[in-house]
Amino acid sequence: MKNLIAANWKMNKTNEEAVALVKELTPLVKDAEADVVVCPSFTVLKDVADELKGSNIKLGAQNMHYEDSGAFTGDVSPLMLKSVGCGYVILGHSDRREIFKEDDALIDKKVISALKHALKPILCVGENFDQKEKGIANDIIETQLKNCLKGLDNQQMKDVSIAYEPIWAISRGNPNVKPATKEDAEQRHQFVRSVLNNLFDENTSKNTRILYGGSMKAENAKELLAMPDINGGLVGNASLKAKGFAEIVKAGE
Ligand code: PGA
């Protein structure tokens, strides 16, 4: 299965900075075997889309509302994302869950809406430090998957990727935070796949890309991406520099 390497820029990069970053990135990944996606802030999507024309890099957003339009001050709809050229959207990121109190039911609505508009969701799941210490990480992950994929069929799952992001391993801009070990990450990814196997058919669980997220960088990407059930990465901090991100893209080849 082809790896998917997605850049989650979070709330970083002004318009000029964003365009400069993709200008530098485009030639570095032009021969990449992996699918490459960049997910900038809403305000810079259009200019980044223009810069990406003719390249192999796809555009994604970091969030969206589930309605097409309406009285939702400050929000952005799937139609708007489509109209600027997005093909992907990150949904249920732990920042959205923890800081903005998004719950599974809301995220499920967003996943269904994204698919209706031919946007490919990257659905994030993962436990926090306390949940890991209590030994309930798998319960958390299973509940999130069941609730956020409710109502989807095997056909729709073809366009869905899962990002397993242990919250305790997310850098939040701190390069000293350690990722999960490759063995621990692989175990969780196997668990995610087993849950998908219960929810959907075997083909779906086998072919769904499960990305790892949490302090993935050039130095550790190779060993993580070499694990059989790690099919890509959702990269935050290390995606803010073109060279480092390009190395991650190549690390899985
Ligand atoms: P990180 O972030 O790579 O900076 O740890 C990943 C994420 O939150 O998606």
Side-chain angles (χ1 to χ4, degrees):
M1 168 176 3
K2 218 179 184 188
N3 279 335
L4 169 61
I5 311 288
N8 176 11
W9 292 356
K10 311 191 183 181
M11 197 175 73
N12 294 291
K13 304 290 176 191
T14 62
N15 210 45
E16 293 74 18
E17 290 167 346
V19 170
L21 176 53
V22 284
K23 243 193 188 116
E24 192 185 344
L25 181 64
T26 305
L28 298 178
V29 299
K30 70 175 187 346
D31 301 318
E33 282 170 20
D35 288 325
V36 184
V37 180
V38 293
C39 304
S41 298
F42 294 135
T43 51
V44 310
L45 285 170
K46 177 71 174 75
D47 280 3
V48 168
D50 289 344
E51 189 59 43
L52 291 179
K53 277 196 184 116
S55 83
N56 59 330
I57 304 175
K58 302 278 188 315
L59 188 66
Q62 297 173 17
N63 186 29
M64 58 170 233
H65 198 280
Y66 56 86
E67 291 284 1
D68 291 0
S69 63
F72 302 102
T73 303
D75 232 315
V76 168
S77 86
L79 284 179
M80 296 169 184
L81 298 183
K82 282 301 283 182
S83 74
V84 292
C86 284
Y88 288 80
V89 59
I90 299 170
L91 294 173
H93 188 277
S94 57
D95 289 343
R96 303 300 316 173
R97 292 175 184 267
E98 289 198 324
I99 307 168
F100 299 99
K101 308 292 171 222
E102 291 194 9
D103 63 16
D104 287 348
L106 175 69
I107 297 162
D108 182 44
K109 282 186 180 170
K110 294 184 180 199
V111 171
I112 291 168
S113 168
L115 289 167
K116 190 177 116 197
H117 291 286
L119 288 161
K120 296 185 163 92
I122 299 173
L123 170 67
C124 302
V125 299
E127 80 286 1
N128 65 27
F129 182 76
D130 285 349
Q131 292 160 341
K132 175 171 84 98
E133 292 300 292
K134 280 194 200 133
I136 57 168
N138 282 356
D139 303 314
I140 298 294
I141 295 165
E142 182 168 11
T143 303
Q144 289 176 338
L145 286 169
K146 272 190 182 151
N147 292 343
C148 299
L149 298 172
K150 204 175 258 167
L152 269 65
D153 59 26
N154 290 298
Q155 187 60 29
Q156 289 171 304
M157 279 302 291
K158 290 198 168 119
D159 288 325
V160 177
S161 304
I162 308 296
Y164 167 62
E165 299 207 303
I167 298 171
W168 47 269
I170 293 179
S171 77
R172 296 187 190 284
N174 178 355
N176 298 321
V177 174
K178 297 260 172 304
T181 64
K182 60 181 195 300
E183 293 83 8
D184 286 350
E186 170 64 17
Q187 248 183 29
R188 295 283 185 225
H189 281 231
Q190 282 177 10
F191 178 72
V192 168
R193 212 175 289 289
S194 74
V195 174
L196 294 177
N197 200 40
N198 290 335
L199 296 176
F200 301 99
D201 68 17
E202 204 189 326
N203 223 17
T204 299
S205 65
K206 255 204 233 150
N207 293 316
T208 302
R209 291 195 280 202
I210 306 172
L211 321 184
Y212 171 80
S215 299
M216 184 182 264
K217 48 191 153 198
E219 298 86 72
N220 57 40
K222 205 176 181 68
E223 60 175 36
L224 285 163
L225 293 171
M227 304 308 279
D229 288 284
I230 301 185
N231 317 115
L234 181 55
V235 186
N237 201 40
S239 71
L240 297 174
K241 295 221 167 83
K243 279 204 187 97
F245 183 63
E247 280 175 44
I248 297 172
V249 170
K250 300 264 165 69
E253 296 176 1

